[in-house]
Amino acid sequence: MDFIKTNIPDVILCKPTVYHDERGYFYESFKKEVFDSFVGKEIDFCQDNEAKSTKAVLRGLHYQLPPFAQSKLVRVIKGKVLDIAVDIRRNSATFGQFVAVELSEENKHQLFVPKGFAHGYVVLSDEAIFSYKVDNYYHKESERGIIYNDDFLKIDWKFPEHQLIISEKDEKQPSFMKADMFEGI
């Protein structure tokens, strides 16, 4: 597994070594001691989640406030998505910046999104199965979000806005400047 620091060094792109032969392929999608060593701390993932979505479905931008904040290790099992991680740590040098990467069944890349980031993705293929590990459980009262089409962030979701399929909850999220942020992570 190769680990690559993105333009926001705490967000890490994980590129597995994939072994192909006439039977198909094999790769290690996660190895705790290697992952923790690169990240520089122990991450205790406690739950795996999976979501299936169709083309142009946008999920995000989501996060949870401390002490229920979550780090995520995300990947695509089927299809292709544009994955986004937005730095919402007020005291960070990269506050308000984001990482955008394509994750797909072909490239098998994963993205580590640490605590202190809002996360979202849009499906680029006809269908996608999105899988992710989290290091804290869902806590409804701590759940927060940022509106996907925020004027400050200016994220290019790769579709005209009228084509995006967005939940009612995600349509009502606050702007980046009005959202609850992280103070000390």
Side-chain angles (χ1 to χ4, degrees), residues 79-145:
K80 179 167 53 171
V81 307
L82 176 68
D83 200 75
I84 305 288
V86 180
D87 191 343
I88 59 171
R89 303 168 298 173
R90 283 198 193 278
N91 59 350
S92 168
T94 56
F95 176 70
Q97 296 178 32
F98 63 89
V99 171
V101 297
E102 283 190 10
L103 304 176
S104 71
E105 68 182 297
E106 287 84 25
N107 68 27
K108 303 198 182 341
H109 295 171
Q110 298 177 64
L111 192 67
F112 175 63
V113 180
K115 294 174 181 175
F117 285 77
H119 175 258
Y121 64 92
V122 65
V123 177
L124 302 174
S125 53
D126 288 338
E127 178 179 89
I129 298 176
F130 188 84
S131 176
Y132 58 105
K133 298 179 176 305
V134 294
D135 69 348
N136 209 346
Y137 296 107
Y138 174 72
H139 187 259
K140 184 173 180 54
E141 292 76 24
S142 299
E143 181 183 30
R144 297 292 187 278

Side-chain angles (χ1 to χ4, degrees), residues 1-4 6 11-17 27-31 35 45 72-77 83 99 101-104 107-113 130-133:
M1 177 89 59
D2 289 329
F3 298 99
I4 300 161
T6 64
V11 178
I12 300 165
L13 184 64
C14 308
K15 293 182 171 184
T17 302
Y27 73 99
E28 290 181 350
S29 63
F30 180 74
K31 193 170 193 176
F35 180 80
F45 292 115
K72 298 176 181 177
L73 182 60
V74 303
R75 68 185 179 128
V76 170
I77 295 171
D83 200 75
V99 171
V101 297
E102 283 190 10
L103 304 176
S104 71
N107 68 27
K108 303 198 182 341
H109 295 171
Q110 298 177 64
L111 192 67
F112 175 63
V113 180
F130 188 84
S131 176
Y132 58 105
K133 298 179 176 305

Side-chain angles (χ1 to χ4, degrees), residues 16-35:
T17 302
V18 182
Y19 302 95
H20 295 273
D21 65 20
E22 66 279 355
R23 299 169 295 166
Y25 69 85
F26 170 86
Y27 73 99
E28 290 181 350
S29 63
F30 180 74
K31 193 170 193 176
K32 183 170 179 43
E33 60 271 11
V34 174
F35 180 80

